[in-house]
């Protein structure tokens, strides 16, 4: 073991001791001393938007721009503008994040964004990071390239990984269409124009003048074919205002030929791949030059910073062939950098949680993993809703659909809250408006317990551990440092009387403490990270749900039982018939089976137990 590895091992041991001991049988299992050796399912991920996390350097609040918020994008009183959080702020809070038990950071996009965009009266800022102009450098609102390197290095010294949020589907809104522009600057809607109604080889429709002679369509993805696509004015007449002619970097991104230019997406059918996402410039990812360009861009971030993975925004809106080329290239680039377990997971935002939709992108696109919207839907339906626990079982049954089956499902990042679709507490309060605060707290703890004990990679969205309860989009992007947004500060937090007006980094918050315990439990039990899932009980009504996680190395069985109902539960559930003893890892567990293969569980309302097998007969 190297001196560096010894320091990491000592750090991990110190964390477990400092956080409290677990009632385990035998010694705690050895974990990889070198963070590079950990598999994706060994991580606990903490997700944050840097602008909303902590502000350590007020000098960069305006991103080096002069003028009012319409230029700088900075207005800490408005939920749609920059608030001042930066990479230095994130770095100084690593103790807080690691104390929660997180082993990996998922950092929202850090690339230079268009500071402000939108029609007059409907403007907002790129504080979230998804309106990129320069894909090669850090946005000055967040800091510098050196700040990002310092963050990654500091995380790595602690044995933590860093996953970077990236975008390929689109850039900031720079391209305009002459058919939609107007003198007053407001513009007109640009409805989607299909490939059939507006073919690449005619200007303005089938009856228009011939252009792009010899182009055989975007399905023929050769250099020679795309060399014939010289005129981008087949559907609309795109142009870029003079002031922004070279605003994008690398410079090839300023070439109009590398965009679809077909108008607004309806997010259905053809337009889902070819349409502009909310007015953002939709990149022609079928073009070989674009494939090469993005491989070079994001391979460069691996080379320069040694990051450990990518979360890919708007994955479903990019053609599968792009991912089939991009993913192997990134894995190879990471391997060459000495990163053997580079984790790539795509956002396929199916809020209905349809496993078939999610799994398709692992089978067809060949993505290693996708964000587990099916898990999130099942937990919201059962713990922040009134559906039966068979919804959870149905979700697990769908694991066979992913490329690689249940092994692949263990790499899916699971979550109960996120920055687009709202926080779990918001949905719990919406579903149970008469519930007291204690009940909402218990529901939130139970939802997270499912996330930490079931297959997948748990992702905690910053603020959940402090009881944030905002709704969708901006409403759920509260400041962790003291906020000046009135709607955030009026929010009723869970588990505390504090508000977001004061900094929210309290390690004594009941949710922080509960999640830290769950993280310790998961770290100590290989079955919870790598184990096969065997559903022991589910019902069409709220109440008992029981799953055994089976350690693939030892056969050790860890039974997880939850009660999604508001009445106590007492039941017998099946376990392996060879076990003669059980130990409580969380909650009250019987010391032995009632009979071979049958184990009694008693659960309070909205509670959970974790019981581990001991000796075998």
């Amino acid at each position: 073991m190297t001196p560096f590895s010894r320091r990491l091992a000592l750090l991990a041991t110190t964390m477990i001791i400092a956080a409290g001991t677990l009632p385990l049988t035998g010694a705690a299992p050895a974990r990889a001393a070198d963070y590079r050796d950990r598999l994706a399912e060994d991580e606990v991920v903490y997700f944050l938007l840097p602008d909303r996390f902590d502000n350590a350097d007020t000098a960069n609040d305006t991103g080096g721009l002069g003028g009012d918020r319409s230029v700088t994008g900075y207005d800490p009183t408005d939920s749609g503008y920059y608030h001042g959080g930066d990479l230095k702020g994130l770095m100084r809070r690593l103790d807080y994040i690691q104390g929660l038990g997180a082993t990996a950071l998922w950092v929202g996009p850090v690339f230079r964004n268009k500071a402000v965009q939108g029609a007059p009266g409907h403007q907002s800022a790129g504080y979230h990071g998804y309106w990129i102009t320069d894909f090669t450098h850090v946005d000055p609102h967040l800091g510098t390239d050196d700040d990002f390197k310092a963050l990654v290095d500091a995380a790595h010294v602690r044995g933590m990984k860093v996953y970077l949020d990236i975008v390929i589907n689109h850039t900031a809104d720079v391209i305009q269409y002459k058919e939609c522009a107007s003198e007053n600057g407001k513009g007109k809607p640009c409805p989607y124009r299909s490939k059939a109604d507006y073919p690449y080889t005619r200007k303005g429709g089938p009856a228009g003048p011939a252009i792009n002679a010899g182009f055989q369509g975007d399905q023929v993805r050769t250099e020679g074919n795309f060399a014939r696509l010289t005129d981008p004015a087949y559907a609309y007449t795109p142009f870029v205002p003079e002031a922004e002619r070279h605003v994008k970097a690398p410079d090839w991104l300023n070439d109009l030929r590398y965009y679809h230019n077909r108008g607004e997406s309806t997010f259905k059918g053809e337009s889902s791949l070819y349409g502009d996402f909310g007015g953002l410039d939709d990149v022609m990812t079928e073009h070989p030059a674009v494939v090469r360009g993005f491989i070079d861009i994001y391979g460069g971030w691996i080379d320069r910073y040694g990051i450990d993975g990518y979360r890919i925004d708007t994955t479903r809106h990019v053609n599968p062939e792009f991912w089939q080329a991009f993913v192997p290239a990134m894995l190879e680039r990471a391997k060459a950098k000495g990163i053997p377990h580079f984790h790539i997971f795509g956002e396929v935002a199916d809020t209905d949680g349809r496993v078939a939709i999610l799994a398709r992108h692992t089978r067809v696109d060949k993505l290693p993993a996708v964000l587990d919207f099916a898990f999130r839907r099942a937990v919201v339906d059962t713990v922040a809703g009134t559906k039966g626990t068979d919804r959870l079982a149905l979700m697990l049954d769908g694991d066979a659909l992913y490329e690689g089956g249940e092994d692949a499902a263990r790499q899916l990042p699971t979550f109960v809250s996120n920055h687009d679709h709202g926080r779990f507490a918001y949905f719990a309060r919406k579903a149970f408006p008469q519930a007291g605060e204690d009940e909402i707290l218990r529901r939130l703890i139970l939802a997270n317990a499912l996330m930490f004990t079931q297959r997948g990679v748990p992702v905690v969205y910053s603020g959940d551990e402090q009881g944030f309860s905002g709704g969708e989009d901006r409403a759920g992007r509260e400041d962790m440092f003291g906020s000046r947004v009135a709607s955030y500060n009026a929010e009723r937090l869970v588990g505390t009387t504090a508000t977001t007006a004061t900094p929210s980094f309290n390690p004594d918050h009941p949710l922080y403490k509960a999640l830290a315990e769950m993280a310790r439990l998961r770290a100590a039990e290989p079955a919870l990270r790598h184990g096969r899932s065997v559903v022991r009980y589910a019902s069409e009504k709220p109440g008992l749900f029981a799953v055994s996680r089976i350690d693939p190395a030892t056969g050790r069985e860890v039974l997880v039982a939850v009660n999604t109902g508001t009445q106590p539960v007492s039941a017998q559930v099946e376990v392996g018939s060879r076990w003669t003893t059980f130990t409580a890892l969380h909650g009250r567990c019987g010391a032995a089976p009632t009979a071979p293969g049958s184990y009694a569980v008693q659960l309070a309302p909205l509670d959970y137990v974790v019981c581990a097998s001991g000796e075998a007969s």
Side-chain angles (χ1 to χ4, degrees), residues 342-615:
F342 194 83
H343 196 198
I344 298 176
F345 50 101
E347 179 208 25
V348 181
D350 186 77
T351 55
D352 292 330
R354 294 169 294 181
V355 173
I357 299 295
L358 303 176
R360 181 185 185 278
H361 292 272
T362 68
R363 288 192 173 272
V364 178
D365 299 10
K366 301 303 180 183
L367 289 167
V370 293
L371 283 167
D372 197 349
F373 277 82
F375 176 87
R376 179 250 183 189
R377 180 77 268 163
V379 175
V380 168
D381 285 348
T382 55
V383 186
T386 58
K387 291 191 176 180
T389 57
D390 55 352
R391 283 284 293 110
L392 294 162
L394 183 64
M395 178 269 298
L396 291 176
D397 282 346
D399 286 353
L401 298 179
Y402 294 98
E403 183 73 20
E406 190 174 353
D407 288 342
R410 282 190 285 273
Q411 299 181 42
L412 304 179
T414 53
F415 64 100
V416 299
S417 302
N418 80 0
H419 60 313
D420 288 327
H421 304 289
R423 297 187 183 272
F424 181 88
Y426 167 81
F427 292 99
R429 283 200 176 121
K430 187 176 179 180
F432 302 101
Q434 304 304 317
E437 285 302 292
D438 180 64
E439 179 178 329
I440 299 301
L441 175 62
R442 283 184 289 141
R443 289 185 182 277
L444 189 49
I445 290 174
L446 185 61
N448 279 282
L450 280 165
M451 182 172 71
F452 275 85
T453 59
Q454 300 306 306
R455 97 291 179 271
V457 185
V459 178
V460 177
Y461 175 36
S462 65
D464 259 27
E465 78 281 8
Q466 297 293 329
F468 288 11
S469 60
E472 298 180 70
D473 198 68
R474 297 180 192 174
R477 298 174 180 175
E478 306 95 325
D479 301 306
M480 290 288 286
F481 59 104
S483 184
R484 294 170 57 188
V485 178
S487 60
Y488 292 164
N489 295 339
E491 188 179 298
R492 187 165 38 124
L493 306 187
V494 180
T496 180
T497 58
T499 73
T500 57
T502 57
S504 300
F505 299 101
N506 178 17
D508 291 322
H509 191 290
L511 282 165
Y512 184 99
K513 293 166 73 173
L515 268 60
E517 179 199 349
M518 296 172 195
R520 293 194 299 272
L521 174 57
R522 185 178 178 87
E525 276 298 333
L528 297 181
R529 305 190 310 274
H530 306 289
R532 179 169 55 91
S533 299
V534 180
V535 175
R536 298 301 194 184
Y537 187 91
S539 169
E540 70 277 6
K541 297 179 180 180
L544 178 62
F545 177 66
V547 175
S548 288
R549 304 294 310 281
I550 311 299
D551 186 335
T554 66
R556 176 181 170 92
E557 179 172 349
V558 177
L559 176 69
V560 180
V562 306
N563 179 7
T564 67
T566 55
Q567 298 298 318
V569 164
S570 180
Q572 296 292 136
V573 297
E574 183 182 6
V575 293
S577 58
R578 65 192 182 111
W579 306 117
T580 59
T581 63
F582 276 83
T583 302
L585 304 184
H586 176 86
R588 297 178 60 186
C589 298
T594 309
S598 182
Y599 188 72
V601 293
Q602 289 85 33
L603 287 159
L606 302 172
D607 201 2
Y608 73 103
V609 295
V610 183
C611 311
S613 66
E615 297 179 5

Side-chain angles (χ1 to χ4, degrees), residues 244-264:
E244 296 184 306
R245 289 287 297 276
H246 293 281
V247 73
K248 296 179 185 179
D251 191 60
W252 63 264
L253 283 162
N254 295 297
D255 192 328
L256 294 175
R257 295 175 300 165
Y258 297 145
Y259 297 86
H260 287 128
N261 302 312
R262 290 189 174 276
E264 289 295 308

Side-chain angles (χ1 to χ4, degrees), residues 186-377:
K186 292 183 178 179
K188 297 181 294 183
C190 302
Y192 183 75
R193 292 182 170 179
S194 72
K195 293 194 291 181
D197 291 332
Y198 294 86
Y200 289 111
T201 53
R202 293 290 187 273
K203 185 183 290 288
I211 56 174
N212 302 319
F215 183 62
Q216 299 175 44
D218 58 45
Q219 299 302 309
V220 180
R221 298 183 178 90
T222 65
E223 298 282 356
N225 184 48
F226 273 89
R228 302 183 183 100
L229 186 65
T230 59
D231 189 341
Y234 33 82
Y236 286 100
T237 308
F239 72 98
V240 174
E242 186 61 33
E244 296 184 306
R245 289 287 297 276
H246 293 281
V247 73
K248 296 179 185 179
D251 191 60
W252 63 264
L253 283 162
N254 295 297
D255 192 328
L256 294 175
R257 295 175 300 165
Y258 297 145
Y259 297 86
H260 287 128
N261 302 312
R262 290 189 174 276
E264 289 295 308
S265 177
T266 65
F267 303 105
K268 296 178 181 179
E270 178 188 301
S271 82
S272 183
L273 290 179
Y274 293 87
D276 295 341
F277 190 111
L280 300 167
D281 300 348
D282 197 67
V283 181
M284 183 177 278
T285 48
E286 300 82 8
H287 201 302
V290 171
V291 178
R292 288 196 311 275
F294 274 114
I295 286 174
D296 185 56
I297 287 170
Y298 289 121
W301 282 81
I302 296 172
D303 293 344
R304 289 158 62 195
Y305 301 105
I307 52 180
D308 305 283
Y310 283 141
R311 178 267 191 185
I312 307 174
D313 184 65
T314 52
T315 299
R316 70 189 305 177
H317 303 299
V318 173
N319 58 300
E321 296 82 3
F322 179 92
W323 302 125
Q324 291 164 13
F326 180 82
V327 168
M330 293 303 100
L331 295 177
E332 186 62 31
R333 201 74 164 253
K335 183 178 179 181
K337 185 71 174 177
I339 309 169
H341 303 298
F342 194 83
H343 196 198
I344 298 176
F345 50 101
E347 179 208 25
V348 181
D350 186 77
T351 55
D352 292 330
R354 294 169 294 181
V355 173
I357 299 295
L358 303 176
R360 181 185 185 278
H361 292 272
T362 68
R363 288 192 173 272
V364 178
D365 299 10
K366 301 303 180 183
L367 289 167
V370 293
L371 283 167
D372 197 349
F373 277 82
F375 176 87
R376 179 250 183 189
R377 180 77 268 163

